[in-house]
Every structure is written in structure tokens, then in C-alpha cells.
Amino acid sequence: MKIEKTGMDILPVGLGCWAIGGEWTDMGAQAGWGDVDDEVSLRALQTGLDMGVKLIDTANIYGAGHSEELVGEALRGKRDQAVVVTKFGILCDEEKKCTAGIVQSGEDIVRSCEDSLRRLKTDYIDVFLFHCGDYDLKKAPMVLDTLEDLVRAGKIRYYGWSTSDPERAGLFAAGNHAVMMEFAENVLEDDPGMTGFCGEKRLTGLCRSPLAMGILTGKYRAGMQMPENDLRGKHAAPWMEYFIDGKPNEAFLGRLDAIREILTSDGRTLAQGCICWILGRGKGLIPIPGFKSEKQVRENVSAVDFGPLTRQQMAEIDRILKRNV
């Protein structure tokens, strides 16, 4: 598929690099995904590249910069093989491994861009995404103007906003180099507002949480306890809905069981079925499943070989989940 307005041709699945960043905290809450091994992460990134993946999604705050560093290392000598998407807006302290407020000025944004370029070991970013989903609309024009300045300076090629609010997305969509919006989208949490907006504006929709932080892989059962150094554990941030008190949300598990047979038909694994659901949800949507191993990357990327779910399968899932009825 092509990223609209850019001509960039990519595989319709990306690599989400939050999990490989390692431990860090956000406003005191654990924001990492438990134990990681950098060598394993680098092999997994290479596996994705070898399988034809081009889009790599990361952010300055993932591991307080460490995720970007790993992406930069993986792309050493092969930068032109990838479409690098990284996010800004939330400031980070690389030494203390924590977030440090949000951008307040154009200078903050430029500095964040330079820091990301350093960690990524590159001189340009393909798509620079604003990470503050509910940022004050009155201040947003400053962000947009700064992004256009960064395009003119050759630091970034395109930009977008990681937000689930069509009004905010609409402000950026008016920009000359806006090509992408990121929002949560998975088989249990459809966002017709944002998918419809992206389709109407010819923008690529980057679908975060396509596997609902692991719930949709079938790996987690009711009552399982997540490690305390995992953002899904007991000390999770208040916004965490996929895991409650460190255990899988049983409401999600129940809804998943109801559609499991459809998702796993035709030889797909559960995770592959959920990725294929997004491929069937609409043109221009790219799921960016996270990973911590080569095996997970192979499974996720191989979903593309099955193609989208059929219209009949999509409709049956909507019926079972009582959507659009």
C-alpha cells in the first residue's frame, strides 16, 4: 500500500516499538513492558525488515529514548529501507528514565526533534507525530507552524497527530505536509470517527493497540498476574483498561471468546485474525503491533499473507459484538 500524499510504498503492517524501550516511568507510574533484552530486540527488528516491513513506529518517551536508539542501531547502513515514525510532545529525562512534562513552545519541539535525530542516528524523520492527544486547541497552531518549519529545514518530511479527536486531527489535516493520524483501533474497540476522518481526508490511519496490549493474542487468561515492572501490572496508570489490578480485563476476554472462531478461521492465529480485521476495516489503515521477540514479529507480519477478513466475516463480528445494529 502507499502512504497517501507521499508516494511511499509500504507493507500494510508496521513494527510498534514501545515494548522494546525497556523500563521507564510516566508521572510515577510504570510505563515499560517488563524485562527486555536489547540483542533480542535488535534481532526482532531485523527480522521485520527482512520480511519487508518498512514502517517502524517509536517515540522519544519509549524507554526515555532507548527505543529510538535501538531503531537507529537496527537501521545503521540501511536507513533508506525504512519509514521511521517517531513521536514528540511529551518531554523525557534520558538519565532518570521518566517523562518530564509536555512541550510549551516551538523551541521545545525543535529540541525534541534534534534529540530524536541524535538517538535515531539519522538526519531526517519520515513522519513526526504529535503525541499529546488532548493538547490545548488554542496552542495547537503553534505546533503546526513549528512542524512546517521543520519540514522546510529538512529535519522531517511529514507529520501528523496521535489523537482520537477528529477536531484536533482536522486542525493538523489542513497542514501542507500532514499525512498520518494515530489512534487506538482493534477488533474490540472500533473508532469509526477516526477511521472515517482518515478516509475522507486521504490520510493514513496508524492503528495503535491492534492487539489490545496482548489481550487479543490469547496469551493471557483470567486471573493471570502481570509482573510489577510491567505497565499492565498492579501499579498501572489510571488509563489502563486492558488489565485491571494487574490482571486481564475479563470483559475483554469474554468478548474475544465470542469471536475467536471467526478470527482463527482459514488457519490464522488469533493475533493474525485481529490484524486481518484491521486490514479489512478500511483502506489506508496500518496496524502497528508491538513485539518483544522474533517469533512475535514473524507471526504478526505473516498476517498480511492471509489478506483482510471478508465482508461477511467483518459483518458477523459486528453482529456478535452488537455493533451497527
Side-chain angles (χ1 to χ4, degrees), residues 91-133:
L91 302 173
C92 73
D93 187 318
E94 293 181 62
E95 292 186 2
K96 295 180 179 179
K97 292 291 183 182
C98 64
T99 54
I102 62 174
V103 295
Q104 300 293 337
S105 66
E107 289 76 14
D108 285 343
I109 296 169
V110 172
R111 191 176 306 113
S112 290
C113 181
E114 295 290 355
D115 287 343
S116 288
L117 290 169
R118 167 177 53 82
R119 290 186 291 259
L120 290 164
K121 304 176 182 67
T122 186
D123 56 3
Y124 71 96
I125 293 165
D126 292 291
V127 186
F128 207 31
L129 289 183
F130 191 31
H131 210 172
C132 303

Side-chain angles (χ1 to χ4, degrees), residues 43 70 130 136 156 185 197 221 225 289:
R43 288 197 299 271
L70 288 172
F130 191 31
D136 187 346
I156 68 175
E185 178 74 7
F197 175 86
R221 305 293 181 186
Q225 185 69 56

Side-chain angles (χ1 to χ4, degrees), residues 260-280:
R260 182 184 298 265
E261 185 175 349
I262 299 173
L263 294 171
T264 57
S265 62
D266 305 316
R268 293 179 295 261
T269 66
L270 195 54
Q272 289 171 336
C274 291
I275 290 170
C276 291
W277 179 86
I278 291 178
L279 299 183

Side-chain angles (χ1 to χ4, degrees), residues 32-43:
W33 293 67
D35 298 331
V36 293
D37 182 319
D38 288 351
E39 291 302 317
V40 172
S41 298
L42 286 170
R43 288 197 299 271

Side-chain angles (χ1 to χ4, degrees), residues 224-238:
M224 290 180 65
Q225 185 69 56
M226 301 301 293
E228 291 195 13
N229 68 338
D230 192 306
L231 84 161
R232 300 166 293 183
K234 285 185 177 181
H235 305 299

Side-chain angles (χ1 to χ4, degrees), residues 37-59:
D37 182 319
D38 288 351
E39 291 302 317
V40 172
S41 298
L42 286 170
R43 288 197 299 271
L45 282 166
Q46 185 58 56
T47 295
L49 292 169
D50 290 344
M51 294 180 73
V53 174
K54 289 188 177 181
L55 190 143
I56 299 178
D57 173 88
T58 183

